[in-house]
Amino acid sequence: MDGMQPEATTPLLTIEGARATIRLNRPAVHNRIEPADLLKLIEHFRTIEADPDIRVVVLTGTGKSFSSGYHLGDLANRPEAEVTARDDGPSFESVGDMLENLKVPVICRLNGGVYGGSTDLALCCDFRIGTESCEMFMPAARIGIHYYPSGMKRYASRLGLNAAKKLFLTAEKIHAPEMLAIGYLTEVVPADRLDARVDALATRLASLAPLAVQGVKRSLNEIARQDFDEAGALERAKASQKSEDLREGLAAFREKRAPVFKGR
């Protein structure tokens, strides 16, 4: 197998305890996302949402790159594919929105470069841990695409207007230090520390009270999109005050031990 690329497949899902991992798996084309991958991602998201034992998700790619983005050949054949859902499959935009709205926290393990639409997939995640060799660019202006609405909103709300304009309007490549400076990356680590850091963060997130983590994630995303449901947030806050998780958290604090949360 030396020197041979692994067989390309649709994204892979593995579940180990409280952690689910989704791996983009087309390394020969830098994990380019095909129409079939969108369907498989939605299937994986639904599996995760239906499993109350999953408390954190890791999204990553096989090989040297995270992802080279959506298949431009398919986009050329179906000009509305990026924005408009179809009878025979979802849009790239709708898959990103579904990823952003997963109830549990999502860590993007950026094992390499991230390009095109996949820069937005990473922004849909709650944390982005990348290596010192990471790079990104958004070539929409270079190839003639006006980006879809929710992606532009994520760029502007998470990175700020100036950074969003630079990335969209110039189509310039940036590297890990600037990705960190503008907030695209949550952290930068040496390549040989990437797995350990992702593991540590995933373990930390999975150990916290699920009702509180999931409720606050939802509220913060709503605030970022400027569609905050304050009444809904208040109801989630009241529910957390009546939860077994809160009783367990307070008991563990008094007893100076690690809490064991059940998510109810």
Side-chain angles (χ1 to χ4, degrees), residues 6-212:
E7 180 182 359
T9 68
T10 54
L12 305 172
L13 173 66
T14 58
I15 299 173
E16 297 179 355
R19 184 187 312 183
T21 300
I22 299 174
R23 181 178 294 274
L24 306 177
N25 194 46
R26 299 185 188 276
V29 289
H30 299 278
N31 298 318
R32 181 179 69 202
I33 296 173
E34 307 279 353
D37 299 330
L38 299 179
L39 292 168
K40 183 58 70 172
L41 285 170
I42 286 178
E43 180 182 320
H44 292 336
F45 297 160
R46 288 174 175 162
T47 297
I48 290 165
E49 290 284 75
D51 188 339
D53 293 327
I54 295 175
R55 298 186 183 179
V56 64
V57 175
V58 175
L59 175 64
T60 191
T62 301
K64 296 180 179 180
S65 301
F66 171 68
S67 177
S68 56
Y70 193 70
H71 186 187
L72 294 178
D74 181 69
L75 177 60
N77 292 332
R78 296 186 293 104
E80 296 183 350
E82 285 284 287
V83 176
T84 307
R86 312 178 324 277
D87 292 339
D88 61 334
S91 68
F92 191 92
E93 179 179 36
S94 66
V95 171
D97 291 346
M98 192 172 180
L99 173 60
E100 179 183 62
N101 291 322
L102 283 180
K103 64 184 179 182
V104 299
V106 183
I107 303 166
C108 188
R109 175 188 175 274
L110 282 162
N111 51 302
V114 53
Y115 313 105
S118 291
T119 62
D120 186 41
L121 279 188
L123 274 180
C124 292
C125 301
D126 303 292
F127 303 90
R128 289 164 296 283
I129 312 297
T131 66
E132 295 166 325
S133 62
C134 276
E135 61 181 26
M136 68 169 289
F137 70 92
M138 169 48 69
R142 194 172 75 186
I143 59 179
I145 294 174
H146 183 296
Y147 214 65
Y148 53 82
S150 67
M152 291 188 292
K153 288 180 182 179
R154 266 186 292 272
Y155 261 81
S157 66
R158 284 152 178 73
L159 307 181
L161 183 59
N162 288 342
K165 283 185 175 180
K166 176 180 178 179
L167 291 166
F168 274 111
L169 302 184
T170 71
E172 289 181 349
K173 183 182 292 185
I174 66 171
H175 299 88
E178 186 172 358
M179 293 166 73
L180 180 65
I182 66 173
Y184 188 88
L185 289 178
T186 310
E187 297 179 35
V188 175
V189 296
D192 61 1
R193 291 288 302 155
L194 179 61
D195 286 332
R197 182 64 192 115
V198 170
D199 287 345
L201 179 57
T203 299
R204 174 71 175 173
L205 291 167
S207 73
L208 300 175
L211 290 179

